[in-house]
Amino acid sequence: MAVLKLLRAPLKYVQGKGALLKLYDETKDLGKSFLFICSNSGYKSCYEKIEKSFEGTNCKLRFEVFGGISSNGEIEKMRKIVREDKIEVVVGIGGGSAIDTAKATAHYEKCPVVVIPTVCATDAPCTGLSVIYNDDGTFDSYLFYPRNPEAVIVDSQVIANAPVKFLVAGMGDALGTYFEARACVRTDAPSLENGGIALSAMALCELCYKTLIKCGYQAKLACENHLVTSAFEAIVEATTYLSGVGADNGGLAVAHSVYNGFTALPECEKTMHGSLVAFGTIAQLIIENAPKEEIKEVMDFCYSVGLPVTLKEVGVTDVTRVRIAAEKACIPGETIHNMAGDVTPDQLYDALLTVDLLGQEYLKK
Ligand SMILES: [Zn+2]
């Protein structure tokens, strides 16, 4: 039997300036006692609006600033609070880790989960999976859930007040979405949710890319100055919803394997996920021998918003080290193997160095 097409998404997605003031209205059907699992900065940027939104209701709110990584120990701690306080709704507030901790806690305790992203750096808000770490901070596993979050509430002003580097990284992560899904469609590879790729999923991925090209640069300027404009709103949606739901239902290929590969190099430790995904997207286009206009459009975009186009910009100064990353990116199980004709470490190495050469020419202009 052919692979069945599959689409998964959050039940509800709400976005706009001041959206947090409507949090009670948007979540009141889920329960009466709420546990907010917050990153440090997430707590500071959100709790006043949240308390205001619940003013005059009989709901119980408990805020917990969590330990910083989505580890098994942290999840256990939060599960205990859910049981002791008879929590009915778990809310994650912050970047990837606070959200992943909230999703895991809610899943194990069989509560609905609401996600309030405070930055747009990753695909964590809308997906039905978490990255789990050991208590010492090393990678443990991916945890896949049967459902996506009940609600994702994005206050655009909160995102605009966060440092612009997160928005830029989010655009890098979103840049891979269309090209990776396109590669999966070509080989009938399954999506992240292990389903066939629906036309609707592909439409989201395409819209994600078009929105980046149209609004990316202007959104970056807006964020640098904490302004909320239509272009900024479009990019918040592209990096949070279109990229998250698109990647989940569209599949991954070279760009995310390049990210995984470069995590083997300590010199790239500080480079954000989305920056490496953007660099990997260009490498994927080189491997595909994509039309030169397409490569130019992607590189123009990266350059305009400050995403890396050279190895130096991702933290690599000794190019021979790229071999280590290329080997790791091609281990069995990596999404790079979703490519037509497959990709060897040698081919990937050559593509990565080609990106660097093109990028260096770019920076000279
Ligand atoms: Zn990603």
Side-chain angles (χ1 to χ4, degrees), residues 123 173 256 273 277:
D123 284 343
D173 198 19
H256 273 78
H273 170 77
V277 171

Side-chain angles (χ1 to χ4, degrees), residues 121-124 169-170 172-174 177 180 192 243 247 252 255-256 259 273-274 277:
T122 70
D123 284 343
D173 198 19
T177 306
E180 292 185 280
L192 267 187
S243 173
L252 301 178
H256 273 78
Y259 163 75
H273 170 77
V277 171

Side-chain angles (χ1 to χ4, degrees), residues 57-70:
T57 72
N58 57 357
C59 293
K60 255 180 39 196
L61 311 184
R62 173 159 179 180
F63 290 88
E64 283 291 323
V65 173
F66 90 125
I69 55 168
S70 46

Side-chain angles (χ1 to χ4, degrees), residues 35 37-38 62-85 87 101 104-105 108-109 135:
L35 170 63
I37 300 174
C38 315
R62 173 159 179 180
F63 290 88
E64 283 291 323
V65 173
F66 90 125
I69 55 168
S70 46
S71 66
N72 291 309
E74 201 61 41
I75 293 162
E76 276 310 316
K77 208 173 97 191
M78 295 300 162
R79 288 183 64 185
K80 208 164 152 238
I81 295 175
V82 169
R83 290 193 296 263
E84 284 172 2
D85 273 27
I87 298 290
T101 305
T105 303
Y108 289 128
E109 295 302 323
D135 290 319

